[in-house]
Amino acid sequence: MTVSVGVIGLGRMARALICPLIEREILRSSEVIGVVGSEATATRLKSELPGDLTVVAASDPRAMEAWNAQVQLLAVKPQQLDAVAASVEPSQAGRSGSQLLISVLAGVTLERLQSRFPGRACVRAVPNTPCLVGEGLCGLAWGDGVTPEQRLWVTEAFRPVSEVLELPESRLDAFLALTSSGPAYVALVAEALADGAVAAGLPRDQANHLAHRTLAGSAALLDRQQLHPGQLKDMVASPGGTTMAALRHLEKAGLRSALIEAVIAATEHGRGLR
Ligand SMILES: NC(=O)c1ccc[n+]([C@@H]2O[C@H](COP(=O)([O-])OP(=O)(O)OC[C@H]3O[C@@H](n4cnc5c(N)ncnc54)[C@H](OP(=O)(O)O)[C@@H]3O)[C@@H](O)[C@H]2O)c1
């Protein structure tokens, strides 16, 4: 399926998805038109992105070309949805039943998308920022009328940068709270571990490097040996040893419950966006 793609909101997340597709020649940059909020952003991106990828500001009349594309990737902030939907000219709204709209907007339901963009088949996608390095996760929930060919195209489009999971829409908020917000939780842990090592006497650069490598190596071990997290913990916690001294401290400080509550809070916040 050869497609033209209109990206409405060519920000960080949209670029993390589109740029690898262009690099891998799954999409031709000349077939993509990106829309951003301001002229200043459009000018900056034109110098950073492949030469024949068109980037225009929302106020530019060519922005409407994005709404004519066969596939539209909607990646503005959730709060901008209504204003963006209102800017679509009636002639572009639901122009053809074969158009597909993929939304990455956190918390915005398929029902709301379908009401704002009638005539388009809609997909909710929840990607995460590790897509930038090809190690992402992407949850997909299909709206009404998405054809098998479109499903295949969307799945193949996300696969180069992420593991793709098809989910019932009711699970997407929890999926986002774990996977899309997850890099922030991991970043806090990495920073705090490095701070601890600096406090204990390691130089800052070395502490940062060691914290990152410890997290990455532990994740690889969990993944490749299919370990339960409890098994990985027990592998390094010998009786009466230093790791147990640290774990007792983490339990007293409530690390586990803080993380559980963080994921629940993010899920509830996502649900509250609608
Ligand atoms: N970041 C994540 O981890 C993540 C994960 C899952 C889902 N998401 C979702 O992805 C979406 C985008 O997030 P992001 O982090 O990529 O934000 P971002 O970098 O701020 O991107 C938003 C983009 O929208 C553009 N924009 C603003 N007004 C517009 C308009 N009227 N028409 C077209 N484009 C317009 C902005 O341009 P200007 O800069 O010129 O204003 C910017 O390029 C959000 O809905 C978020 O919920 C993000």
Side-chain angles (χ1 to χ4, degrees):
M1 180 173 163
T2 310
V3 296
S4 57
V5 177
V7 184
I8 299 101
L10 188 61
R12 275 165 302 181
M13 183 43 73
R15 293 200 298 277
L17 297 170
I18 290 292
C19 292
L21 295 182
I22 294 172
E23 278 159 24
R24 287 163 204 236
E25 299 179 354
I26 295 168
L27 268 184
R28 277 200 285 264
S29 56
S30 58
E31 288 163 349
V32 180
I33 175 162
V35 184
V36 290
S38 69
E39 286 288 352
T41 312
T43 305
R44 179 172 56 77
L45 286 183
K46 273 180 217 160
S47 64
E48 290 174 10
L49 294 169
D52 46 359
L53 193 155
T54 308
V55 188
V56 296
S59 55
D60 189 308
R62 284 175 299 165
M64 280 304 136
E65 287 174 28
W67 295 105
N68 282 328
Q70 272 168 290
V71 174
Q72 291 136 27
L73 176 65
L74 185 62
V76 295
K77 294 289 186 194
Q79 302 84 333
Q80 295 169 316
L81 172 69
D82 289 336
V84 167
S87 74
V88 185
E89 287 170 6
S91 58
Q92 259 85 23
R95 187 179 57 87
S96 125
S98 66
Q99 284 182 310
L100 179 72
L101 183 130
I102 306 166
S103 163
V104 298
L105 276 59
V108 175
T109 61
L110 284 167
E111 188 184 11
R112 194 160 158 217
L113 290 169
Q114 284 165 179
S115 79
R116 296 297 184 281
F117 304 102
R120 290 172 170 83
C122 296
V123 183
R124 253 184 93 182
V126 179
N128 68 356
T129 45
C131 287
L132 281 165
V133 290
E135 296 279 341
L137 286 165
C138 181
L140 295 174
W142 310 108
D144 299 335
V146 183
T147 66
E149 195 185 28
Q150 288 171 327
R151 285 183 188 222
L152 186 65
W153 190 89
V154 175
T155 309
E156 292 303 316
F158 282 102
R159 218 188 287 285
V161 291
S162 62
E163 184 181 333
V164 179
L165 295 92
E166 296 178 45
L167 299 167
E169 189 181 19
S170 57
R171 294 197 193 153
L172 280 189
D173 293 309
F175 183 92
L176 182 141
L178 175 59
T179 65
S180 295
S181 305
Y185 318 148
V186 174
L188 276 189
V189 171
E191 192 180 34
L193 290 175
D195 283 352
V198 171
L202 288 188
R204 168 57 70 184
D205 285 355
Q206 194 172 48
N208 286 348
H209 174 71
L210 296 176
H212 299 175
R213 294 313 310 155
T214 303
L215 288 172
S218 305
L221 193 53
L222 279 172
D223 205 35
R224 286 187 213 152
Q225 296 197 355
Q226 293 287 296
L227 297 177
H228 183 279
Q231 288 175 295
L232 179 56
K233 169 178 67 68
D234 291 351
M235 278 164 74
V236 293
S238 50
T242 47
T243 305
M244 272 319 301
L247 290 174
R248 280 182 60 196
H249 192 80
L250 292 174
E251 291 294 353
K252 265 194 221 155
L255 178 74
R256 247 181 236 261
S257 116
L259 289 171
I260 292 168
E261 294 303 323
V263 177
I264 293 171
T267 306
E268 286 172 354
H269 188 272
R271 288 184 181 141
L273 288 174
R274 40 189 180 268

